[in-house]
Amino acid sequence: MRIACPYCGPRENGEFSYLGDATPVRPSLEQGVDAMLDYVFLRDNVAGEMQELWYHGGGCRAWLKVTRNTLTHEISAVEAARGAGAAKVGKR
Amino acid sequence: MAELSWVATAPLSHVLKPGHHGAETGGSGVAYTGLSDFALVQVMARRGKASALAKAAKAHFGVAAPLKPKAVAAGGSLLIWSGPDQFLALSPRDGLASPLASLAGPLAGAASLSDQSDARALIRIAGPRARDVLAKFCSLDLDASVFPVGTAAATSVDHTAVTLWRGEDTAGGAATFNLLVFTSFAESLWHMMLDAGAAYGIEVGEASYGV
Ligand SMILES: [Zn+2]
């Protein structure tokens, strides 16, 4: 599998580390403990296309948001994850 | 109290033995040169300051810092892309002067600077078989059509993060590649490179950067 880093170009997947699902959004404190439990621990086991966070640690050290089909490993989009994390707390 | 003294040594000094290595016939297919006496500064834009850094760097260096994986000559310095909104500034070392001194003023507020001069080893790989050697341990396509002179890359070699760029060809027209690697990984990388190049015959040397 290769991932086309938007900064570096296509690279072998050994240069990347996998974090997981890129879609969970950290809930605000008002949303309660159940929402936080869900955010921290519960993940869907997607069979098909999902958005994932990958880290290009063996290259430019950027976090990437990768759209990958878990059945075929086909990657349909790769974009920089910058701004996708803490900046969006409590928002979709 | 015991006397304590510090002896400055180049990161490859224990393993770099100048002379011919590997295959005895057919001359040297590659030359490995350990380069020392360089100043290396990591320049990273502060949050939201990428365009301020671009402006300040252009004003200071006289050319735009690379926004893509390239190495750009800027007067006495070489600006090497190392990731989004960051680059390395490589130059000959100026005695004991801090490499940060000349950059701190011009880039103030726009970038964070980190002196990496003694944190990396710099190795030059040149010669008619340079690409063949690199093909054994580097996964990038280094063909001249896609990796022309001045192209840079942040990649992994032998499980080690390296900064790689293609320099000017040798006088004989052979390709030249430069490799920056963390000092603590340099010896292991060097041993691997000697194994990789042995079949081609290796001319090992050392030099001061920029001389
Ligand atoms: Zn990258």
Side-chain angles (χ1 to χ4, degrees), chain B residues 109-206:
Chain B
S112 295
L113 307 176
S114 167
D115 183 1
Q116 298 291 312
S117 309
D118 295 315
R120 312 285 179 103
L122 176 54
I123 302 169
R124 180 167 293 160
I125 303 171
R129 308 305 296 269
R131 275 194 193 85
D132 298 311
V133 167
L134 279 155
K136 294 187 181 184
F137 55 80
C138 174
S139 65
L140 302 185
D141 186 353
L142 300 175
D143 188 83
S145 63
V146 288
F147 209 91
V149 171
T151 308
T155 187
S156 289
V157 160
D158 197 33
H159 309 286
T160 303
V162 298
T163 303
L164 172 80
W165 72 97
R166 186 171 162 206
E168 296 291 338
D169 289 351
T170 64
T176 300
F177 296 90
N178 301 281
L179 232 157
L180 275 171
V181 57
F182 289 109
T183 51
S184 51
F185 293 93
E187 285 194 6
S188 124
L189 185 77
W190 184 262
H191 286 304
M192 184 278 293
M193 285 173 52
L194 287 180
D195 290 344
Y200 308 125
I202 309 163
E203 194 60 37
V204 168
E206 47 193 339

